[in-house]
Amino acid sequence: MTALDNMGEGSVQEGGKSRLSLRQSRKRSLNSDISPAPEPRTSHRFRTSSTSDSDDRNKTPPMLRKMSLGRNATTSSGRRTAGGSAQSTGGSSSGVGDGGYGGGRVVGVCPLANMGNTCFLNSVLYALRFLPGFTHDLHHLHMHLQSAGDQSDGNLEQRIQFLSELHRVFVSLGQEERSSADNKRIPAFQPYEFLEALRVVNPMFEGNRQQDAHELLHCLLDQLCHLPQDLRQGKPNGTLGTELTGMEQEVDLSPPEPKRLRRRSERIQAIEEDSSKAVDVVGSKFVGRMCLETCCSECEQVTGREENFLEVCVPVKTKADFDEDENVSEPQVFMSALCEEECLRDNNKYWCDHCFHHNEARRSVHYSQLPHHLVIHVKRFSSYHRNMFTAKCSEAMPAPLELSCFCRGCLTEQIRKQSLAEVGRDKGPKSSSSSKPDTTPHLPYHLTAVVCHLGATLSSGHYLSFVRLSALHSSACPEQQVQNQTQPQPPNTSKVVDCQWMKCCGLQLSHIRPHSVLNGHIDSEESRNMDEQESMWLECDDDKIKLVSASEVSDMMRTTIITPYLLFYSRL
Amino acid sequence: MSMIAGHRQNSTHSTRKKVQISYVIRDEVEKFHRSSVNSLQYDPYLQRLYSAGRDSIIRIWNCKNQKDPYIQSMEHHTDWVNDIVLCCGGKNLISASSDTTVKVWNAHKGFCMSTLRTHKDYVKALAYARDREQVASAGLDKAIFLWDVQTLTALTASNNTVTTSSLNGNKDSIYSLAMNAPGTVIVSGSTEKQLRVWDPRTGNKLMKLKGHTDNVKALLVNRDGTQVISGSSDGTIRVWSLGQQRCIKTIRIHEEGVWALQANETFTSVYSGGRDKLIYKCETRAPDKYVLLCQESAPVLKMLLTPDNSSLYVATTNSAIKCWPLNNRLSHVEDYCENEEELDIRPVMTQPDWTIRGGPSIKQYTVLNDKRHLLTRDTEENVVLWDILKAAKVDELGKVDFDSEKEKRNKSIYVPSWFTVDLKTGMLTIHLAEKRDEVDCLSAWVSAKEADFPTQDGVDLKINYGELLLKALFEHWPRTYLFEENETGEGAEGGVTNHNGHTPRPGNEYFSIPPHTPVIISEIQGRTLYRLLCGDAGGDTEGVLLNETVPPWVLDIVVEKTSPKPKNKVYFFLLPHASSGIKREKKDRLSANDFIQIRKVQEHVYEKVLGGGSDAGSTTNNNNDRGSDDKAETTSIAEERVQLLCNDKKNCNN
């Protein structure tokens, strides 16, 4: 009940604030009148890591704030209301068996309570928690930030607070899980402090309405990437600071990433070097590099622009987008959405600098470097009428559970092999001079988490996530191995080598097992389930967590009710 | 499928898009290509070469006179000419252009007989079936149209419709087209990356040929329609068997896109050129046997094999056309294919037989501050100063530094932009539009004195650049000076005309532009409605077409003589500078037209603010533009005594 009271107060205060922000948003919407028209559905949306916060806030469509004012009264989805959280802790088995995705309740995972339209928050937190290695990296970033000491800059202080609250969520969840008795359901945790910290960092999340999970994820990743950098720039070269930076730098370099070998040009190299100085182990695992290329159809001159990205935005594509006589598989459809080409033609011709003429051109995206964690944002919502309305595209675009690397190096290698096979023995002497295969192809990606959206619009509807129980949650800290290999011992190694991650905020998969409602105790099949964990997934719907199989996840992606919105792929 | 195509522009089309007026600043006779040469045709009887340029001009060359081969220009297109075919035994020429038209020419005399406006986008390729005198055209609108040449050449002003059949099915823009001489097979190449084959006699789709991984830009069909050779941007040349409906050979010798192909009659030898500037000869039966004939100085756009296989004309993105000899012993493949292991192959020829010289094309421009003069730099590094208003070259500055010349010539003056510059043809094309992307052709006002136009009785007038230029462009059009006659036809704008009578001469009272200047009326970013030479506007047919195509906003100026009204106001505060010691309670918020001159402000300060008497050199903050002006007494005193500062920077008065 206390939680409810708290919330009541909170919402009153926020009511005042949100009125304020509404006024601001009106000003912004004036700005947006002259801003460029919404991007076409086919174009990729890029987010460079250089985007500043304020910039970001301006970008968010004003309708997000406006349309959801009366949300509590009208709750169109009906499934999740503001009061849901109070009932959730007490409610015993109401959620069991209501979904069509088999499986049963599980014990050993602490669920997250819905605090009133906070499923957008919960779904992202679930996804990040089960992302292999994420909590570990966050733990170390947190330790680093703690050691960095107090910040005079209020803004930085807030941002540090934000990340440490994120860390604390995982700490609390871990504590709950460890302290709970074997077969008891763990009461749902309310990530209230984190939500508060989020609202301080980004006022867009103020108020009690449904938010865009994608905006939250982007805000989070943005902080993870930029806070450590800003911190270093903001402070003088303190002794402790530099040592730590140096150490972390090594850590950043050390993960076995052969991609450093395939630098494409000096320019990119310089940028890479720069970003490698960052202490953001967490952030850097999400950052990739893409190149947007335009090729004029007349002179075939290619002009390109390289930039960092935190996520890949893809349009929804279906088999209907292809020729009937082309037999495309689901993974091919997905791949074509990832590497979509845009043709500039008709009234949208490209003005070619070399031809001094409006010509047709082909615009394509290449990924020069793909991150360790690949976040794919499926563009299901398109705004029209100057952001007054959003339309949702709920067509199914099944994402493959395993995705081979599609960076430029891997793709050209693939094409090279194909053409070699075609040419066979009689290949011309010219083709032998083309680039040699440099190294082994990159590891494939595995789908590790999916944040899904239900409902018709961004401001209504519901989020839930599917997370994969990856065996890679090994308790072995990668940094320990690193420290063993590198011979010079920094003065404060002891602290680092002794990785406290598991005890602090780590997730112990061994605790997770199905809760047999019928027997009320763990049955003898526990061991069998443990073996199957590799292909087992959790469906996390706020406080209700169910065990599902990988094939059930695949089936889910073929429906149009539960639509995948954010996809998390990791190299395992 | 058949359709009727009007060969003259339907005037209802013009109302949809905004219409602009453009003109080209050029010499009366442009003897040399100014830009890339897109296509070539050869007349073996007269030994004439026809070349189609991106400078919108088709030129006729006499191959018997290699010293001075220029015979004539064929000018009527307004954008790149992309392809030409010579038909009727050399009597007629058909051309395809990015101005979306196909034109029919009398090749011997060099005049345009008719214009086909059926395509909706750039027309990129033509194909010709000699035995049936049939021509096909295709382009970025994905459509292929079949034309009967006899019908096309019989078109007149009164008999101006032609029946065409179209071949549909292409899903992407067509960049290449080929038809065999008997007209039994037509093949198209497109960004779809596959070839499509039809029977032009029935319009039936025959097949699709897949294999290329990029745009197909060059196509050849053999005489009996059994084999096709294609060149693609993916760098490969493929030989296809139409009987087997598959690719029978893939030739990989080029490093980059293959843009031009030629083959001998029997299809045994293929000549290929492309983006890598290299021209190879290769045997289709043994693709490993190839020889590097020559290296061009620029990417190869088109090649032409003379009927006796004795020489190869090559057109590139340079404006020159080179003729390479083939009867030379060196070009026999058999002699050279043995040294295969030698990777660094040197071309067997280094010097062409002869070259048709090309002219430089303008590659860079900058509009000077006075928004009247323009500096350009061409491919030969020559810097030229132009007067946009008079549509003429002012000075050739030679090979000087472009940027320092720009610095030197920029005056401290502000005039709004009123025209846009286009270099697509390698020559200067100036567009005048009503209001487009903040560029309004009627926005530039200057004082006549400043523009170096003599003023009557010393009174300085404000002149509008756009107004004067439009009047000069249409000064030969009788409707602009004969008031009685123009009332008859058009009802809409024929209301009240200013019969004020004091237009002593046609056009404007200050200057004329060269009569050879091409004037183009076109939709913005769209199709051309009409092109004529400035001096030809007096003709009867020209008058009819001008009535149809000149947009109302231009009629207002040149026929109705309505003067444009100043549109932009500037607002500024006039404040005493801190150093002047003058205290004023009120802030004066003033407004003026955006071409207000500093002297006017100084006068205002002297008369109104200082009361005409104070001796203090008062200083003032204002906000905008400069210029200079007339009036005798007060001005000079005011100038001496009042110094204006704009955001704390001193304004110089001249």
Side-chain angles (χ1 to χ4, degrees):
Chain A
M1 279 318 283
T2 45
L4 245 188
D5 285 345
N6 269 342
M7 267 194 34
E9 277 171 36
S11 63
V12 168
Q13 288 166 359
E14 281 144 22
K17 272 185 213 161
S18 71
R19 232 170 280 132
L20 231 173
S21 67
L22 234 184
R23 222 172 291 137
Q24 288 169 348
S25 79
R26 252 184 230 119
K27 260 185 228 154
R28 281 177 204 137
S29 67
L30 269 179
N31 285 336
S32 70
D33 276 350
I34 50 167
S35 68
E39 288 147 293
R41 195 174 79 104
T42 47
S43 80
H44 289 250
R45 179 178 171 202
F46 303 106
R47 288 212 126 124
T48 54
S49 53
S50 58
T51 335
S52 73
D53 292 11
S54 59
D55 203 353
D56 214 8
R57 266 172 238 148
N58 283 333
K59 258 191 263 169
T60 58
M63 53 71 53
L64 280 184
R65 296 177 187 84
K66 274 183 210 159
M67 283 185 59
S68 35
L69 273 183
R71 166 82 181 108
N72 278 348
T74 51
T75 44
S76 54
S77 81
R79 283 188 72 176
R80 229 50 43 183
T81 62
S85 57
Q87 178 244 353
S88 66
T89 34
S92 54
S93 58
S94 59
V96 179
D98 63 354
Y101 299 102
R105 298 298 272 280
V106 285
V107 293
V109 188
C110 180
L112 292 162
N114 192 323
M115 303 176 295
N117 285 330
T118 56
C119 54
F120 78 96
L121 186 89
N122 292 348
S123 61
V124 171
L125 286 177
Y126 279 126
L128 289 179
R129 189 168 186 227
F130 285 86
L131 202 60
F134 178 79
T135 51
H136 171 264
D137 296 339
L138 181 71
H139 172 76
H140 285 286
L141 174 65
H142 174 72
M143 299 313 284
H144 167 70
L145 292 178
Q146 291 308 107
S147 63
D150 289 339
Q151 286 298 316
S152 49
D153 188 334
N155 179 32
L156 281 178
E157 185 69 35
Q158 285 171 359
R159 291 163 66 189
I160 292 172
Q161 180 68 19
F162 172 61
L163 289 189
S164 69
E165 286 300 342
L166 176 64
H167 178 249
R168 183 140 0 131
V169 169
F170 297 133
V171 173
S172 306
L173 291 176
Q175 279 169 355
E176 293 283 344
E177 281 159 16
R178 276 188 291 278
S179 63
S180 77
D182 257 358
N183 201 22
K184 287 260 178 65
R185 284 195 68 246
I186 306 166
F189 176 77
Q190 300 194 335
Y192 187 70
E193 281 81 12
F194 173 65
L195 183 61
E196 280 296 279
L198 169 70
R199 285 167 175 167
V200 169
V201 170
N202 191 345
M204 185 193 126
F205 294 99
E206 277 168 15
N208 240 342
R209 52 211 120 79
Q210 182 61 284
Q211 300 278 4
D212 187 352
H214 168 244
E215 290 291 346
L216 169 69
L217 178 69
H218 188 263
C219 170
L220 254 166
L221 294 184
D222 202 43
Q223 294 295 343
L224 287 172
C225 281
H226 287 121
L227 181 56
Q229 288 171 13
D230 295 350
L231 213 54
R232 256 180 324 123
Q233 280 162 11
K235 79 181 167 195
N237 286 340
T239 45
L240 180 69
T242 37
E243 271 166 32
L244 260 174
T245 320
M247 180 209 69
E248 294 276 1
Q249 202 177 326
E250 264 176 79
V251 174
D252 184 40
L253 281 163
S254 51
E257 286 175 315
K259 45 179 126 147
R260 276 181 201 289
L261 298 172
R262 31 189 116 207
R263 286 164 183 152
R264 294 188 65 84
S265 73
E266 294 294 319
R267 192 168 62 85
I268 304 165
Q269 187 178 343
I271 295 163
E272 220 172 83
E273 226 90 81
D274 188 45
S275 65
S276 74
K277 282 187 193 118
V279 290
D280 50 343
V281 195
V282 210
S284 65
K285 283 195 175 174
F286 288 92
V287 180
R289 279 191 77 70
M290 59 163 60
C291 184
L292 181 69
E293 290 188 349
T294 312
C295 176
C296 168
S297 299
E298 290 294 340
C299 63
E300 291 172 16
Q301 183 82 31
V302 179
T303 45
R305 193 176 75 224
E306 283 253 4
E307 50 191 30
N308 287 332
F309 69 89
L310 281 174
E311 65 197 358
V312 177
C313 297
V314 300
V316 181
K317 286 201 120 187
T318 57
K319 282 184 182 173
D321 294 324
F322 292 86
D323 258 4
E324 289 151 26
D325 53 345
E326 279 179 86
N327 204 3
V328 285
S329 63
E330 279 175 358
Q332 280 172 326
V333 173
F334 191 78
M335 200 47 117
S336 79
L338 273 174
C339 303
E340 205 189 26
E341 284 190 352
E342 186 191 6
C343 194
L344 305 178
R345 59 156 71 125
D346 298 331
N347 288 325
N348 184 31
K349 287 199 182 73
Y350 168 71
W351 198 84
C352 177
D353 281 348
H354 298 266
C355 302
F356 296 102
H357 202 266
H358 284 276
N359 291 332
E360 286 192 346
R362 206 176 52 231
R363 191 160 272 178
S364 53
V365 178
H366 302 274
Y367 301 93
S368 37
Q369 203 180 86
L370 286 170
H372 182 79
H373 297 303
L374 176 69
V375 179
I376 295 176
H377 166 220
V378 184
K379 284 196 287 186
R380 296 207 170 267
F381 300 99
S382 54
S383 53
Y384 53 98
H385 277 276
R386 288 189 177 140
N387 294 333
M388 283 302 284
F389 306 98
T390 54
K392 182 177 173 182
C393 171
S394 51
E395 279 171 276
M397 180 173 65
L401 295 179
E402 191 181 315
L403 185 68
S404 56
C405 182
F406 54 96
C407 78
R408 191 174 226 157
C410 291
L411 283 184
T412 47
E413 181 67 7
Q414 211 177 312
I415 290 165
R416 207 183 61 90
K417 274 181 189 152
Q418 276 171 8
S419 68
L420 270 183
E422 191 192 330
V423 174
R425 36 141 214 99
D426 56 64
K427 70 176 174 107
K430 279 261 152 74
S431 51
S432 63
S433 63
S434 64
S435 64
K436 287 259 165 66
D438 36 12
T439 39
T440 49
H442 293 152
L443 289 171
Y445 282 107
H446 291 268
L447 188 64
T448 49
V450 187
V451 171
C452 297
H453 180 264
L454 290 84
T457 65
L458 256 183
S459 50
S460 68
H462 177 57
Y463 289 101
L464 57 85
S465 24
F466 291 84
V467 294
R468 180 183 148 135
L469 297 177
S470 308
L472 219 88
H473 288 273
S474 67
S475 53
C477 172
E479 278 176 29
Q480 279 174 327
Q481 295 154 11
V482 168
Q483 289 300 325
N484 294 340
Q485 283 159 16
T486 49
Q487 55 284 52
Q489 298 273 317
N492 49 0
T493 35
S494 55
K495 188 181 145 208
V496 182
V497 170
D498 187 15
C499 177
Q500 300 289 320
W501 162 63
M502 218 359 138
K503 289 176 202 138
C504 173
C505 57
L507 173 70
Q508 275 169 310
L509 284 185
S510 54
H511 286 201
I512 302 172
R513 50 193 166 256
H515 176 270
S516 169
V517 182
L518 289 172
N519 301 340
H521 62 83
I522 318 145
D523 55 31
S524 53
E525 286 176 303
E526 186 199 336
S527 55
R528 183 183 62 89
N529 280 325
M530 292 314 293
D531 292 339
E532 280 184 3
Q533 262 191 6
E534 182 61 23
S535 61
M536 290 311 280
W537 288 63
L538 292 181
E539 179 194 322
C540 307
D541 180 356
D542 287 334
D543 55 308
K544 290 190 283 296
I545 298 179
K546 283 189 300 190
L547 206 57
V548 293
S549 70
S551 61
E552 281 172 304
V553 174
S554 292
D555 289 344
M556 173 276 299
M557 288 194 284
R558 289 191 180 86
T559 71
T560 54
I561 309 149
I562 302 181
T563 48
Y565 182 46
L566 301 169
L567 302 163
F568 295 75
Y569 280 93
S570 295
R571 286 190 165 125
L572 297 180
Chain B
M1 192 203 290
S2 288
M3 60 182 291
I4 306 294
H7 93 282
R8 201 202 283 158
Q9 177 63 36
N10 206 337
S11 57
T12 50
H13 268 292
S14 57
T15 51
R16 277 195 219 132
K17 275 188 175 174
K18 279 191 172 182
V19 175
Q20 68 182 4
I21 307 293
S22 315
Y23 60 100
V24 184
I25 307 177
R26 44 166 278 184
D27 293 340
E28 185 165 4
V29 179
E30 290 279 347
K31 268 185 135 180
F32 306 106
H33 278 291
R34 285 286 185 185
S35 187
S36 316
V37 177
N38 274 334
S39 191
L40 298 168
Q41 284 286 287
Y42 186 68
D43 181 342
Y45 307 109
L46 298 173
Q47 295 188 39
R48 280 178 172 188
L49 185 73
Y50 295 83
S51 62
R54 288 189 178 174
D55 59 4
S56 78
I57 299 170
I58 303 163
R59 287 178 178 80
I60 312 173
W61 310 95
N62 183 358
C63 299
K64 288 178 284 190
N65 181 4
Q66 297 185 356
K67 283 244 165 63
D68 183 21
Y70 177 81
I71 297 176
Q72 198 183 348
S73 292
M74 297 158 79
E75 301 179 11
H76 217 258
H77 281 295
T78 58
D79 203 338
W80 293 6
V81 186
N82 293 315
D83 205 357
I84 46 173
V85 291
L86 198 60
C87 42
C88 309
K91 248 173 35 205
N92 296 104
L93 187 93
I94 316 269
S95 62
S97 161
S98 290
D99 64 12
T100 75
T101 65
V102 172
K103 285 182 193 277
V104 185
W105 306 78
N106 179 318
H108 290 159
K109 295 187 179 130
F111 64 87
C112 178
M113 297 160 68
S114 48
T115 302
L116 308 161
R117 299 175 191 270
T118 322
H119 283 283
K120 294 186 184 69
D121 206 333
Y122 302 170
V123 193
K124 287 297 296 178
L126 296 171
Y128 175 49
R130 183 174 292 112
D131 302 0
R132 297 179 70 209
E133 287 297 341
Q134 191 176 39
V135 167
S137 63
L140 307 191
D141 62 357
K142 308 174 179 64
I144 302 172
F145 292 106
L146 292 169
W147 309 95
D148 175 44
V149 178
Q150 300 305 340
T151 321
L152 293 187
T153 52
L155 290 172
T156 59
S158 52
N159 165 33
N160 62 6
T161 53
V162 58
T163 308
T164 173
S165 45
S166 69
L167 302 171
N168 296 315
N170 261 298
K171 288 192 175 155
D172 271 308
S173 314
I174 301 170
Y175 280 81
S176 55
L177 202 61
M179 192 152 51
N180 61 342
T184 57
V185 158
I186 184 167
V187 191
S188 74
S190 78
T191 48
E192 211 179 0
K193 299 163 190 173
Q194 51 190 358
L195 310 182
R196 284 174 187 259
V197 187
W198 286 266
D199 183 337
R201 297 164 298 184
T202 59
N204 289 341
K205 287 181 194 178
L206 296 181
M207 66 192 84
K208 286 191 272 187
L209 299 170
K210 291 184 189 176
H212 281 300
T213 57
D214 206 340
N215 195 359
V216 179
K217 282 196 170 174
L219 279 173
L220 299 171
V221 196
N222 65 348
R223 191 176 159 86
D224 54 6
T226 53
Q227 271 193 9
V228 170
I229 306 177
S230 61
S232 160
S233 301
D234 66 12
T236 63
I237 301 160
R238 283 174 189 260
V239 185
W240 309 80
S241 159
L242 295 192
Q244 299 173 50
Q245 303 206 3
R246 66 179 192 93
C247 172
I248 48 174
K249 286 268 160 50
T250 304
I251 304 168
R252 297 164 198 271
I253 40 181
H254 284 277
E255 297 275 3
E256 289 177 281
V258 179
W259 293 353
L261 287 175
Q262 285 285 282
N264 60 354
E265 189 79 356
T266 53
F267 261 41
T268 49
S269 309
V270 183
Y271 302 87
S272 62
R275 195 168 194 272
D276 60 9
K277 305 172 188 170
L278 304 174
I279 295 170
Y280 290 97
K281 179 188 183 184
C282 122
E283 301 297 305
T284 47
R285 270 167 289 187
D288 281 348
K289 296 195 169 182
Y290 63 87
V291 59
L292 175 59
L293 288 180
C294 54
Q295 176 162 24
E296 273 287 352
S297 52
V300 177
L301 288 171
K302 195 79 169 189
M303 297 189 299
L304 187 116
L305 195 61
T306 50
D308 58 357
N309 290 352
S310 65
S311 43
L312 188 73
Y313 287 97
V314 178
T316 66
T317 58
N318 272 348
S319 47
I321 302 162
K322 286 179 190 162
C323 177
W324 298 88
L326 293 180
N327 49 4
N328 191 322
R329 192 197 65 85
L330 290 171
S331 61
H332 288 292
V333 171
E334 291 73 26
D335 299 348
Y336 271 80
C337 56
E338 300 310 326
N339 48 0
E340 262 181 66
E341 67 285 345
E342 201 180 318
L343 278 174
D344 185 31
I345 307 167
R346 252 173 286 152
V348 295
M349 290 183 281
T350 49
Q351 283 296 318
D353 236 7
W354 65 294
T355 304
I356 299 175
R357 215 193 103 188
S361 59
I362 297 171
K363 286 291 165 207
Q364 191 186 4
Y365 74 89
T366 183
V367 182
L368 296 182
N369 272 352
D370 62 5
K371 298 285 158 47
R372 175 174 167 185
H373 292 97
L374 199 71
L375 271 181
T376 62
R377 198 168 56 91
D378 64 26
T379 43
E380 293 171 4
E381 303 298 317
N382 290 310
V383 178
V384 176
L385 182 69
W386 306 81
D387 185 346
I388 295 306
L389 202 56
K390 292 182 177 170
K393 196 183 274 182
V394 178
D395 201 3
E396 289 179 12
L397 305 171
K399 294 175 171 47
V400 296
D401 184 69
F402 188 75
D403 290 322
S404 62
E405 203 63 35
K406 173 187 163 191
E407 286 301 307
K408 204 162 79 191
R409 288 170 191 272
N410 260 340
K411 287 183 218 156
S412 162
I413 185 174
Y414 171 79
V415 179
S417 297
W418 57 282
F419 59 87
T420 48
V421 183
D422 192 332
L423 300 179
K424 68 185 174 191
T425 60
M427 298 180 285
L428 276 178
T429 306
I430 308 296
H431 300 303
L432 305 174
E434 199 175 0
K435 172 96 184 173
R436 168 204 177 189
D437 302 337
E438 308 301 307
V439 179
D440 176 358
C441 129
L442 299 172
S443 65
W445 293 85
V446 292
S447 89
K449 203 167 154 191
E450 236 173 55
D452 262 343
F453 292 120
T455 47
Q456 302 147 347
D457 49 45
V459 179
D460 194 12
L461 294 170
K462 301 222 162 40
I463 56 167
N464 185 293
Y465 277 157
E467 181 192 7
L468 295 186
L469 182 55
L470 284 171
K471 284 181 172 171
L473 285 171
F474 291 100
E475 70 175 327
H476 299 280
W477 186 19
R479 200 174 156 189
T480 63
Y481 55 88
L482 299 175
F483 292 105
E484 291 74 32
E485 282 171 20
N486 76 59
E487 293 303 307
T488 52
E490 273 50 44
E493 74 284 343
V496 199
T497 325
N498 296 345
H499 282 280
N500 39 15
H502 53 68
T503 25
R505 50 165 288 199
N508 67 59
E509 47 208 292
Y510 304 106
F511 62 91
S512 292
I513 62 165
H516 69 257
T517 304
V519 179
I520 300 153
I521 303 166
S522 65
E523 291 168 349
I524 292 173
Q525 298 286 315
R527 37 175 69 198
T528 302
L529 303 176
Y530 188 43
R531 173 199 188 267
L532 78 167
L533 300 187
C534 171
D536 289 349
D540 288 343
T541 30
E542 282 81 0
V544 171
L545 287 164
L546 281 173
N547 279 342
E548 280 177 16
T549 53
V550 173
W553 68 272
V554 178
L555 288 177
D556 280 349
I557 304 287
V558 301
V559 176
E560 305 296 322
K561 314 285 185 210
T562 319
S563 284
K565 292 195 177 60
K567 285 172 197 158
N568 300 325
K569 291 253 176 192
V570 288
Y571 297 96
F572 58 94
F573 289 106
L574 203 56
L575 298 168
H577 195 261
S579 63
S580 69
I582 301 170
K583 295 252 160 37
R584 277 172 73 88
E585 297 295 304
K586 222 169 62 200
K587 278 187 178 177
D588 289 333
R589 184 169 182 269
L590 304 173
S591 73
N593 292 325
D594 64 355
F595 48 89
I596 187 176
Q597 293 151 328
I598 286 301
R599 277 181 219 194
K600 290 280 186 197
V601 182
Q602 286 170 327
E603 275 173 49
H604 174 87
V605 171
Y606 185 73
E607 286 170 2
K608 303 279 162 59
V609 182
L610 303 174
S614 154
D615 55 348
S618 172
T619 44
T620 318
N621 274 330
N622 92 340
N623 237 333
N624 227 316
D625 318 313
R626 322 121 215 239
S628 62
D629 197 19
D630 56 339
K631 280 189 185 170
E633 321 87 42
T634 47
T635 315
S636 52
I637 306 169
E639 269 180 59
E640 280 166 28
R641 301 209 168 173
V642 182
Q643 185 189 21
L644 290 177
L645 287 93
C646 177
N647 296 333
D648 271 344
K649 260 184 262 149
K650 186 172 178 256
N651 279 323
C652 59
N653 286 324
N654 296 313

